[in-house]
Each structure stands twice: as structure tokens, then as C-alpha cells.
Amino acid sequence: MEKSNKNRNIMGFITITAISFSILLLVVILFKLGRINKGEGVEDIDKAITYANNLSNNGLYSEAAYEYERILTDSRLELKRRINMLYILANLYMDNLRDYAKALAKYIKLRTLYPDNPYTTEINQRIVVCLEKLGRYTDAQALLQQVTSINPPQASNKVVASVGTRPITLNDLNDAINDLPESLKAKYTTPQGRLEFLRNNLITRELLYNLALREGLNKEPKYLSRIEKIEQDLLIQMAYEKEISQAIPTPTEYELKLIYDAKKDSIYKGKKFEDVRGELVEEYMRTKAKENESKLIQKLVAGEKIEIYPESLGISAPAIKFGGGE
């Protein structure tokens, strides 16, 4: 009987020791997890964001996207910065990498998880473009009708400032920011950034514009000549975008891999397909743009009568005639 009690005591001691050890091990694991979740050993968020921004500003879009994705997994990132960064990342996928599927996923995430975000109007517009680029025209049209019925056009034309009697609308602000180079857009995507741009750019422009009108600069021959040249350049740019840039189809994975396979040894040494996907898309777009431009010019030349007069250039030669009608 005494021996049996002794055995039970030993077994009880072993059991308690095992439980105590398990608890201690669990505490250690939780402590380490806690340290990891708090970001110990991870670089400061501000430095990480600056690094990602610098990558984007230097045209390293794939690398920047990877860094933004990594930062977004950090639980320390506050809500406003998380929303802003997610929007920047979505725009990067759409505008720079032309990865419309990933961009669409990010915009949908913003709309779903953060419905009160300050970019609702822009996000809806960009989702429509992504759907169109992915060939989902029916979905794009349905969303466009839905958004228009909920938010009529005049809602986004809200007056955000006025200089004298002339208003500055939200559309004016959005258009001005969208015209900026990609490296500068990120600075003005937050409400505070947009306010800064409004004060330091649009209002300043309006003040100088008023000054020019008061001094009658809009009636000078130099102004009228420059306006004609600007109008011509603008129309050329619009024609180029419509007939060449917008006519480029979204590249398929097969097409991108063909480019990658052809240059993986000479250009993309040691780099994986996923790491250079953005560069492949850009090369595809450049190649297709050149092809479209060549075809368009041939078509236009065939439809116009063109003459060149070498004598006017000091060259003794007859006129060169080509194009339509010859």
C-alpha cells in the first residue's frame, strides 16, 4: 500500500512537472510572438515607407509594390496610413505595372474594408477602367451606371475654393493632380496633401492668371501664337493616345513570358519572371506602341497628298511627292 502511494506521488510529481514545463514553453512562445507582432527587429515604418516611395520615384515599380505589400502586413500601421498606402499601391499596379487584376483587387479591398475612405469617387472610376482593361465591359458599364445614379456628376464638381469670383471645383483639383508625373502623385493623394496642392498650386495659378488678364497679356500676338501651338500639341497628344496608346491590348501571360524567355539570359540575368513582370509589361507596351504608330502613319500617309520642296532648304532637287493621290 505504501509502495503504491509512493508510485502515485512520483507520477503526480512528473505530471505537475510536465504541465509546468508546457506552461513555461507556452509563455515563452507567446512572449516571442508578442515581440514579433510589436515589430521588434523590423525597421521603422517611416523608413520603410520612405524606402518604398524612393523605389517608386526611381521607376522600380515591382520592387516598390513588394515593399508596400510588406508594410501593409505590419499591424502597427495606423488606419489612415494603411488606407493611403493601399490606394497608392492600387494606383501603382494600375498606372505603372498595368497589372489591372491586382489593381482591381486592391480597389475592391478599399471599397469593402474601408467604405469611408476619402478616395471613393476616384476608386469607382478606376475600377471601371480596370474592368474595361480586363475585357469585362458589361461589368464596367453596370458599375458606371450604378455609380452615376448614386453619385451624380455634379456631386464631384463641388467648389473647394474660390479666387475672386472664379470657383475652383473638386474636378479641377483632381484633374490637376492626375496630370502630375507619377513620381509626384503619391504626395498629393491624402486629404492634407490635396489641400497643400490646392493652396500652393491652383490658387497661385489663379492669382497669376488674374494678373495676366488685368495687364491684357491675353491679347498680345506672342500669346495668341503660343496658344495656337499649344492647341496643336494638345490635339496631337490626344490623337496619339486615342489611336496608339489606348489601342494597345492588355498583354497576356503567354506574351510576357515570350519576352522574358527571349531576354532572360541577356537582360534579366538571374531574375525570376515575377520579379520583372512590370518591366516586361512596359517593354510590351513600348513595342506595341511603335507597331501601332507605324501602322497609323502608313494609313495616314496613304490618305494625304504630301509634297516636300527641297529647294526651300537650299537643296537643288525637284519636289518630292508621295501619299494619297500619287
Side-chain angles (χ1 to χ4, degrees), residues 3 7 21 27 34 48 62 64 73 76 90 131 145 154 157 169 206 244 250 258 260 262:
K3 185 177 180 179
N7 289 337
F21 178 77
V27 170
S62 295
T73 64
R76 298 173 299 166
L131 290 171
Q145 292 176 352
Q154 59 268 28
N157 213 29
T169 68
E206 287 295 324
I244 297 176
T250 302
L258 284 179
Y260 173 75

Side-chain angles (χ1 to χ4, degrees), residues 65-280:
Y66 174 82
E67 290 300 322
Y68 286 131
E69 293 275 18
R70 190 177 65 80
I71 294 168
L72 284 167
T73 64
D74 196 316
S75 60
R76 298 173 299 166
L77 193 63
E78 62 184 19
L79 181 60
K80 286 185 178 180
R81 299 183 81 179
R82 183 176 299 279
I83 292 173
N84 181 48
M85 184 164 299
L86 189 56
Y87 183 63
I88 291 173
L89 176 60
N91 291 347
L92 188 148
Y93 278 131
M94 177 176 171
D95 298 331
N96 303 111
L97 296 176
R98 299 181 186 271
D99 191 334
Y100 301 108
K102 285 188 178 179
L104 179 60
K106 299 302 179 185
Y107 290 132
I108 291 175
K109 185 173 183 179
L110 275 166
R111 285 209 323 171
T112 306
L113 300 185
Y114 313 107
D116 296 328
N117 73 80
Y119 313 114
T120 300
T121 300
E122 293 89 343
I123 287 172
N124 288 333
Q125 293 170 348
R126 285 176 168 267
I127 287 178
V128 170
V129 174
C130 285
L131 290 171
E132 289 177 342
K133 291 292 185 180
L134 293 170
R136 297 169 56 182
Y137 302 107
T138 303
D139 294 337
Q141 187 62 30
L143 176 60
L144 187 60
Q145 292 176 352
Q146 175 188 347
V147 170
T148 303
S149 63
I150 297 174
N151 300 306
Q154 59 268 28
S156 62
N157 213 29
K158 182 167 49 178
V159 174
V160 293
S162 61
V163 178
T165 59
R166 191 163 47 252
I168 299 175
T169 68
L170 186 57
N171 279 343
D172 295 331
L173 177 60
N174 291 336
D175 290 343
I177 292 176
N178 287 333
D179 286 340
L180 292 173
E182 294 299 331
S183 57
L184 294 178
K185 279 185 185 179
K187 182 179 178 182
Y188 302 112
T189 54
T190 65
Q192 189 62 38
R194 289 151 71 85
L195 176 61
E196 177 187 344
F197 185 86
L198 175 65
R199 296 183 61 176
N200 297 338
N201 292 272
L202 291 191
I203 290 179
T204 299
R205 285 168 56 87
E206 287 295 324
L207 291 171
L208 291 173
Y209 179 68
N210 287 346
L211 173 64
L213 291 180
R214 287 197 299 270
E215 295 185 355
L217 298 181
N218 59 317
K219 299 177 182 178
E220 293 188 359
K222 183 178 180 180
Y223 164 79
L224 297 175
S225 175
R226 291 181 66 180
I227 281 295
E228 184 178 356
K229 179 66 168 59
I230 291 172
E231 183 181 75
Q232 184 183 39
D233 290 342
L234 179 59
L235 289 172
I236 290 171
Q237 180 182 346
M238 291 175 66
Y240 183 93
E241 291 174 353
K242 179 182 178 182
E243 301 294 338
I244 297 176
S245 298
Q246 295 178 6
I248 299 175
T250 302
T252 64
E253 291 296 301
Y254 175 74
E255 290 172 316
L256 294 179
K257 286 179 179 177
L258 284 179
I259 301 173
Y260 173 75
D261 290 339
K263 298 188 176 183
K264 65 180 179 181
D265 295 327
S266 58
I267 305 296
Y268 306 116
K269 299 177 181 178
K271 294 182 179 180
K272 297 179 180 179
F273 173 80
E274 294 76 12
D275 296 334
V276 295
R277 191 181 189 283
E279 297 175 45
L280 295 171

Side-chain angles (χ1 to χ4, degrees), residues 42-58:
V42 180
E43 71 267 42
D44 182 79
I45 289 182
D46 289 333
K47 290 182 179 178
I49 293 175
T50 300
Y51 173 54
N53 290 340
N54 287 339
L55 288 173
S56 180
N57 293 338
N58 284 279

